[in-house]
Amino acid sequence: MLNLLQFVKQRRKQLGLTQQDLAERAGVGLRFIRDLEQGKETLRMDKVNEVLALFGHELAPVSSKELNDA
Amino acid sequence: MLNLLQFVKQRRKQLGLTQQDLAERAGVGLRFIRDLEQGKETLRMDKVNEVLALFGHELAPVSSKELNDA
DNA sequence: TGTGTTTATACCTTATGGGGTATATTAAAA
DNA sequence: TTTTAATATACCCCATAAGGTATAAACACA
């Protein structure tokens, strides 16, 4: 199970997109994608979800144990 | 699988806590707990994670399909 | 019914996230 | 190496999330 920044980086590269590409497709600023992939923790949920929606995902509560173990 | 507001409401009531109690334990404002349980989507991730930490959980990307199916 | 408890709504102020621009830094290719 | 693309960092401004206070509504119980 991947945390947020790992997930976004992985998916973005799988699709061969630049941060710029991803920002445009998600309708957010390039700066936001950067902050996201750098692990900034104070991001707004709605903006993060706009990005995750491109990958058919969204933020939800996950057991911290499961997240770190797997 | 529960979405954010369902999860928080459920866990809070399992422990017999008021919104006030939860706010104090999480170190956030009462208003934040209210917004959270009302489904406000523009919340800050770090604040949400402070609440989820009380339940051993945190925000992570989850398949929208899995979230809605299960 | 009334009374206390919990939750919801409204208004205001303050702090800061988001985004733009510019500048560095790094990476990759020629 | 040089050149170009991609990513990172720094500054500024604006919109708004967070939180406090106050009020109202919903709920539970005697």
Side-chain angles (χ1 to χ4, degrees):
Chain A
M1 195 137 190
L2 297 176
N3 67 28
L4 181 59
L5 78 94
Q6 290 170 336
F7 179 84
V8 172
K9 272 189 168 174
Q10 189 193 71
R11 291 298 178 109
R12 177 172 68 81
K13 295 191 176 174
Q14 279 178 2
L15 298 181
L17 302 175
T18 65
Q19 292 177 336
Q20 178 86 291
D21 295 333
L22 186 57
E24 288 172 6
R25 296 201 188 190
V28 301
L30 171 57
R31 280 272 319 283
F32 183 84
I33 300 294
R34 298 211 199 296
D35 288 342
L36 173 53
E37 293 195 359
Q38 299 286 335
K40 186 175 180 182
E41 297 182 344
T42 57
L43 302 172
R44 269 173 47 180
M45 277 201 321
D46 62 327
K47 296 288 177 179
V48 174
N49 279 327
E50 288 180 36
V51 176
L52 294 182
L54 295 177
F55 308 123
H57 282 58
E58 63 194 275
L59 290 176
V62 172
S63 160
S64 297
K65 187 171 184 310
E66 290 180 24
L67 195 62
N68 295 323
D69 287 4
Chain B
M1 196 136 189
L2 298 175
N3 67 27
L4 181 57
L5 77 95
Q6 290 170 336
F7 179 84
V8 172
K9 273 189 166 174
Q10 188 192 73
R11 291 299 180 107
R12 177 173 67 79
K13 297 191 174 172
Q14 279 178 2
L15 299 181
L17 301 174
T18 65
Q19 292 177 337
Q20 178 85 295
D21 294 334
L22 186 58
E24 289 172 4
R25 295 199 189 190
V28 302
L30 172 56
R31 280 273 320 283
F32 183 84
I33 299 294
R34 298 212 199 296
D35 288 343
L36 173 53
E37 293 195 358
Q38 299 286 335
K40 186 175 179 182
E41 297 181 344
T42 56
L43 302 172
R44 269 173 48 179
M45 275 202 322
D46 62 327
K47 297 287 176 180
V48 174
N49 279 327
E50 288 179 35
V51 176
L52 294 181
L54 295 177
F55 308 122
H57 282 58
E58 63 194 274
L59 289 175
V62 171
S63 159
S64 298
K65 185 169 185 313
E66 290 181 23
L67 194 62
N68 296 322
D69 288 2

